[in-house]
Amino acid sequence: MTDTTPVRLRLSGIAKAYGGTLAVRDVSLAVRRGEILALCGENGAGKSTLAKILAGEIALDSGTIALDGQPVRLLDPASAHRLGIAVIYQELNYVPTLTVAENVLLGRLPGWGPVVNWGAVRRQARTILAPLAPDLDPIVPIASLPVAERQVVEIARALSLDARVIVMDEPTAALSQREAGRLFALVRRLAATGVAIVYISHRLDEVFALADRIAVLRDGALVGDRAVGDTTRAEVVRAMVGRGVNELYPRRESTPGDPWLEIRGLCRGTKLKDIAFSVRTGEIVGVFGLLGSGSDILVKALFGALRADRGEVVVGGRSLGLPTPNRARRAGIALVPGERKEEGLVLGMTVRENLSLSTMPAISRRGIIRRRAERLRAETTVRELQIRTRGIETPVGRLSGGNQQKVVLGRWLQARPKVFVLEEPTRGIDVGAKVEVYRLIENLAEGGAAIVLVSSELPEILSMSDRILTLSDGRLTGEFHRGAVSQEEVLDSAIGRSAP
Amino acid sequence: MPSADPPRSPIAGAAAGDTGIAPAAPPAAGVGDRTPRLSLGRFWDAGIGLLVVYAAIVVVFSRLSEFFFTKNNFLNIGVGVSILGIVAATQTMVIIARGFDLSVGSTVALAGVVTAEILNAGGSGVVAVACAVGVGAAVGLINGLLITVVRVNPLITTLATLSIVRGIAYVWTDALTRVFPGPDLRQLGIGRAFWDIPIPVLIMLAVFVIVWLTLQYTTFGRSLYAVGGNPRATLLAGIDVGRVQLTAYLLSGLSAGFAGAVLAAQLSAGSPQAATGLELNVVAAVVLGGASLAGGRGRVWGTLVGALIMETLRNGLVLTDVSSFYQMIAWGVVLLLAVVIDQLRRGDAS
């Protein structure tokens, strides 16, 4: 692709306001045929609004869109579809009770009139899935798959529609490294056929690995647009947050104390096999596993949300046996679950109510909530964690992802637990909020908490952990110490014994 | 956005004033955070719609019947709504916690039979009421254990216990109404307090106040909203979700048992066919009052107005000589209305 390659998609002076707030202001962008443009920016920078405009879901206030030089009007999703613009959203869109094949071919099931040709359905579904998930059985119900694989199916479906422009909004948010790798290969192949790709992501690693050009949005305006070769990570981050972020990950001297959390012989079916490790006070132990490794199950079993078959959890020398969530909480274990909206928050409740969910005994006397104490605690937490909200009575669903995550974390802080189990604590939150969450984790460790950090982001695991454990096929397969290990070694160990 | 904090809206004060008790106005915290966007759902959530509906019913019947808008008739409505109200108050807690208790009507009947049998066997009124409450609590406990430990769907569980409990009442009494002579419970059923207010009405109001205080000020009340709003997140926050739900069913059964004793005292008899179909009116009153069947939302004063609407409608139709078949149609329409509104609101919230 060169400067003479024709422009496929051109946005000129796009603006969109919600009420008095300008979500997108005067954005002009051009994507050439076969070009992969990464769109970066913090949450609320206007990326998703732009994606929705291209999907025809919301109308723009001013500006023009041209496809292959022709001005077009995107009135509704159907017209965007007809023009060949495919948008893959963060939020998934499938019928849970149908099979993978039915979902992939929804609305275009092959057959004779009303009679479906199931053989053809299976064959076509396999063809569509092949590039991303060759091993996936298309006739299992989609609901039986883990979320990440559902997302793979979703992406495969969108990619199989012939499109001139593909917009992807955080497509790898729930994918494992391997699946993300397959997705990138496919995206590159599509680009090679002339499709223009707008790739929205927080993850700078993948942006730099994949994109030809990076455009940065901040507060709805375009603040940078460079070829990948002409810019650096630091420059992109600075453009995104509007200030210098010297280090994404804080550096600290770690001085772990005595073992505080001990897991002994934890087993659950074929998913967890004899898991045993311990975490010392002030220590961050990173657990890295690919999709299906059982890391999510380990987290839930450790906290008692899933019942293990055998094993024991010991906190501060006192055995909980196999805990229940209630007992785990009282023993001083705090859990920040991976799925913020489904597992972390009661979305209908206010910030205050969500913040006191785990500390109700502390703010009540004989079962009666002491309102003043509750309000005081909530306000303190909001201030200390710098949760950006209009007030503690704001419904928590109104907050941005990063601030929601701080609420889930903040819920535990007032209880001063000694053990934190963090599952993907920075998934889907913007760079600025990530830095704050990392600082917070460091502070907790410095305060003497024993921390288990489960993450599928290797840089995060490598930079944050004092010790790294790899999990594969329900078994711990490796242990590494900080600084003495490379990304590849950890990855090899995580894949290592994944063969059945 | 669904509201989790029940009496935050004007309905709490308004409904309370309507019924003669005056709880302190709840803090209006949070109202300022709402986006001022008007829609049917918000209108309804604010509790205004419900009171408008009730006022309209009162106005219409006042014009149609000279006997309607009198003190005596309103006291009648009060007595008529008391059993429904007692049961609906606790059902509100169950529904907020994403549950469902259909067995309450049968429990009322069985508790009434228990009351009658104990009085006939020479037991005292206190013992009879205690046993009625105990039987109700036992049914609630069984429901709760099946739903939270065995994890049977609440609809199916309570549909089954509905049938079983009613069956026990019939078998026990040979399907006969057991009359009891004792004056012991007369006061409880048909006594009058100050201003001629019937005792059952005071009992019902007391139950509503207790439930309101529980929902508003206790950790258990907060847990009910949390469990209904997102059971998984609540579990992962370290709250014993099963115990919260179990307690809700236990309280629902307990109050149904108590209501059964009050009903028996009103009738001076325990009948195995008493309160047939009560459960549907109870659920209708709760949903009409603003609780969401999807859980996490509801307020107990709304339930009181919902119950009043159901009973006033019945009373008015009787006074205006409308055939009871038309009454059935009217109730059905009200129930449908309640569910449609629930649906509209849910659409709103998304």
Side-chain angles (χ1 to χ4, degrees):
Chain A
M1 183 191 34
T2 63
D3 285 350
T4 55
T5 313
V7 170
R8 177 132 258 184
L9 173 73
R10 185 185 292 281
L11 308 178
S12 319
I14 303 288
K16 172 73 192 174
Y18 289 112
T21 331
L22 272 170
V24 172
R25 55 183 94 195
D26 195 27
V27 168
S28 300
L29 273 175
V31 193
R32 298 174 191 282
R33 297 177 59 118
E35 187 178 36
I36 303 174
L37 172 77
L39 203 54
C40 301
E42 288 198 293
N43 278 349
K47 304 172 311 229
S48 293
T49 306
L50 218 48
K52 281 186 187 149
I53 288 173
L54 286 171
E57 239 183 77
I58 52 179
L60 38 78
D61 294 338
S62 60
T64 55
I65 300 172
L67 256 181
D68 288 327
Q70 297 288 319
V72 294
R73 294 185 63 196
L74 304 172
L75 302 170
D76 49 36
S79 64
H81 224 259
R82 267 198 309 277
L83 288 163
I85 302 178
V87 179
I88 301 167
Y89 287 112
Q90 265 168 295
E91 318 275 314
L92 303 187
N93 210 346
Y94 51 83
V95 187
T97 49
L98 297 184
T99 62
V100 169
E102 287 167 298
N103 267 292
V104 164
L105 295 166
L106 205 60
R108 48 180 176 141
L109 286 173
W112 312 274
V115 182
V116 174
N117 178 353
W118 290 110
V121 167
R122 240 161 282 154
R123 272 194 306 280
Q124 291 187 12
R126 279 223 173 80
T127 315
I128 290 168
L129 291 168
L132 274 181
D135 310 327
L136 198 65
D137 181 2
I139 52 176
V140 300
I142 194 161
S144 69
L145 300 178
V147 177
E149 282 180 21
R150 290 182 221 173
Q151 191 154 12
V152 170
V153 172
E154 182 82 358
I155 293 170
R157 173 174 75 181
L159 298 185
S160 70
L161 307 164
D162 288 328
R164 289 196 273 177
V165 176
I166 295 175
V167 182
M168 301 174 150
D169 193 358
E170 303 275 357
T172 57
L175 299 193
S176 73
Q177 209 107 8
R178 187 167 24 168
E179 288 163 323
R182 288 206 197 110
L183 177 68
F184 296 162
L186 185 63
V187 168
R188 286 196 193 96
R189 234 177 300 149
L190 281 165
T193 65
V195 178
I197 292 175
V198 179
Y199 189 89
I200 299 174
S201 180
H202 282 119
R203 299 186 175 181
L204 292 185
D205 289 334
E206 49 182 57
V207 163
F208 274 89
L210 184 67
D212 302 310
R213 211 148 49 82
I214 299 177
V216 179
L217 283 177
R218 188 171 77 231
D219 297 330
L222 194 67
V223 294
D225 184 355
R226 294 274 186 90
V228 163
D230 298 342
T231 185
T232 63
R233 260 179 92 96
E235 191 184 29
V236 172
V237 171
R238 203 156 39 238
M240 280 165 72
V241 298
R243 62 192 153 88
V245 175
N246 304 338
E247 278 280 346
L248 200 52
Y249 304 101
R251 282 273 162 230
R252 82 196 155 98
E253 286 307 309
S254 112
T255 48
D258 300 324
W260 187 259
L261 172 72
E262 281 176 75
I263 313 292
R264 294 177 186 156
L266 209 58
C267 298
R268 182 185 154 92
T270 57
K271 301 287 191 181
L272 287 185
K273 296 163 194 162
D274 201 23
I275 301 290
F277 65 96
S278 70
V279 186
R280 297 189 281 172
T281 57
E283 187 183 34
I284 300 176
V285 170
V287 176
F288 179 78
L290 300 171
L291 187 78
S293 64
S295 59
D296 49 338
I297 292 169
L298 171 62
V299 167
K300 303 290 153 41
L302 206 165
F303 194 70
L306 275 179
R307 194 114 183 114
D309 303 329
R310 270 196 315 282
E312 180 176 28
V313 174
V314 182
V315 178
R318 287 206 359 240
S319 173
L320 296 178
L322 290 174
T324 65
N326 190 291
R327 283 221 311 276
R329 173 177 63 76
R330 280 183 295 174
I333 302 181
L335 172 71
V336 175
E339 302 289 334
R340 195 160 49 242
K341 286 186 177 163
E342 289 76 24
E343 304 180 331
L345 297 166
V346 183
L347 284 176
M349 286 185 147
T350 63
V351 170
R352 166 179 56 85
E353 288 164 327
N354 271 287
L355 278 174
S356 38
L357 216 50
S358 298
T359 46
M360 280 205 277
I363 50 153
S364 61
R365 196 178 289 140
R366 274 185 243 109
I368 315 265
I369 295 175
R370 292 181 295 157
R371 298 229 144 194
R372 196 162 305 137
E374 183 186 18
R375 227 169 292 144
L376 206 68
R377 282 195 167 213
E379 273 159 7
T380 309
T381 308
V382 165
R383 207 171 38 245
E384 278 177 1
L385 300 192
Q386 297 172 9
I387 298 172
R388 276 173 280 282
T389 168
R390 280 166 69 182
I392 57 172
E393 303 300 334
T394 304
V396 77
R398 294 265 175 82
L399 273 54
S400 72
N403 285 303
Q404 287 183 349
Q405 189 69 337
K406 286 195 232 166
V407 170
V408 181
L409 255 164
R411 161 185 307 161
W412 297 100
L413 297 185
Q414 299 281 348
R416 312 225 164 276
K418 291 274 278 175
V419 178
F420 279 83
V421 182
L422 312 171
E423 186 184 5
E424 306 288 353
T426 62
R427 177 188 286 169
I429 67 179
D430 59 64
V431 177
K434 263 187 189 180
V435 173
E436 288 179 59
V437 169
Y438 291 143
R439 292 256 156 76
L440 192 65
I441 297 173
E442 291 285 344
N443 287 342
L444 290 171
E446 268 161 30
I451 295 175
V452 180
L453 172 66
V454 178
S455 173
S456 56
E457 286 197 43
L458 259 180
E460 179 171 301
I461 287 276
L462 284 165
S463 315
M464 293 294 296
S465 315
D466 296 311
R467 206 145 47 87
I468 298 164
L469 304 174
T470 51
L471 194 66
S472 172
D473 199 22
R475 219 181 281 279
L476 287 177
T477 53
E479 178 173 353
F480 308 92
H481 285 270
R482 176 183 205 146
V485 63
S486 70
Q487 201 149 324
E488 287 68 31
E489 280 175 273
V490 174
L491 199 56
D492 282 347
S493 168
I495 301 167
R497 283 190 239 163
S498 63
Chain B
M1 267 301 132
S3 158
D5 213 354
R8 187 179 290 157
S9 66
I11 180 111
D18 220 38
T19 51
I21 47 158
V31 173
D33 288 314
R34 302 283 149 87
T35 322
R37 186 170 62 88
L38 259 179
S39 67
L40 183 58
R42 261 158 217 283
F43 188 60
W44 196 266
D45 272 349
I48 303 161
L50 205 58
L51 287 175
V52 169
V53 169
Y54 190 59
I57 290 172
V58 169
V59 168
V60 167
F61 282 125
S62 299
R63 300 205 135 216
L64 291 177
S65 165
E66 54 184 311
F67 304 111
F68 181 82
F69 203 78
T70 61
K71 178 185 172 189
N72 262 340
N73 190 46
F74 273 96
L75 293 181
N76 280 339
I77 291 175
V79 172
V81 82
S82 56
I83 302 299
L84 172 64
I86 293 171
V87 179
T90 43
Q91 181 85 259
T92 309
M93 298 204 272
V94 175
I95 285 181
I96 286 171
R98 215 179 261 199
F100 218 72
D101 188 355
L102 288 179
S103 69
V104 286
S106 301
T107 308
V108 167
L110 181 62
V113 168
V114 167
T115 309
E117 292 288 348
I118 286 178
L119 287 173
N120 279 331
S124 74
V126 175
V127 172
V129 174
C131 288
V133 171
V135 165
V139 175
L141 187 67
I142 292 167
N143 281 335
L145 286 174
L146 284 169
I147 290 161
T148 60
V149 179
V150 191
R151 298 189 173 281
V152 188
N153 173 293
L155 205 74
I156 304 301
T157 305
T158 58
L159 199 58
T161 46
L162 172 152
S163 181
I164 294 168
V165 170
R166 179 76 65 180
I168 293 173
Y170 274 116
V171 170
W172 191 352
T173 57
D174 289 330
L176 295 173
T177 297
R178 292 300 162 100
V179 181
F180 53 86
D184 274 13
L185 288 185
R186 251 191 119 68
Q187 264 313 101
L188 180 68
I190 53 176
R192 300 274 166 132
F194 49 93
W195 301 329
D196 274 353
I197 297 176
I199 301 280
V201 173
L202 289 181
I203 292 174
M204 176 191 76
L205 293 178
V207 171
F208 270 96
V209 170
I210 292 169
V211 171
W212 174 67
L213 290 173
T214 305
L215 286 176
Q216 181 69 356
Y217 292 107
T218 67
T219 54
F220 171 64
R222 178 71 61 77
S223 306
L224 286 172
Y225 283 104
V227 167
N230 188 344
R232 180 137 184 87
T234 309
L235 180 77
L236 294 178
I239 291 174
D240 194 333
V241 170
R243 203 170 62 192
V244 171
Q245 284 176 326
L246 178 68
T247 311
Y249 284 104
L250 181 70
L251 291 175
S252 173
L254 189 143
S255 93
F258 186 51
V262 175
L263 182 62
Q266 281 177 355
L267 305 171
S268 283
S271 164
Q273 54 212 338
T276 303
L278 178 74
E279 56 280 348
L280 295 182
N281 297 329
V282 167
V283 172
V286 175
V287 173
L288 203 56
S292 165
L293 286 177
R297 266 198 310 185
R299 40 176 118 78
V300 75
W301 297 118
T303 299
L304 180 58
V305 181
L308 273 173
I309 287 177
M310 310 277 304
E311 177 59 21
T312 307
L313 205 59
R314 195 195 63 80
N315 173 284
L317 290 171
V318 169
L319 283 183
T320 47
D321 281 333
V322 174
S323 129
S324 63
F325 303 131
Y326 282 104
Q327 288 178 33
M328 290 171 71
I329 295 174
W331 282 43
V333 169
V334 170
L335 185 57
L336 266 185
L337 219 62
V339 181
V340 167
I341 288 165
D342 181 43
Q343 197 53 46
L344 285 177
R345 267 182 329 166
R346 256 188 265 175
D348 240 43
S350 64

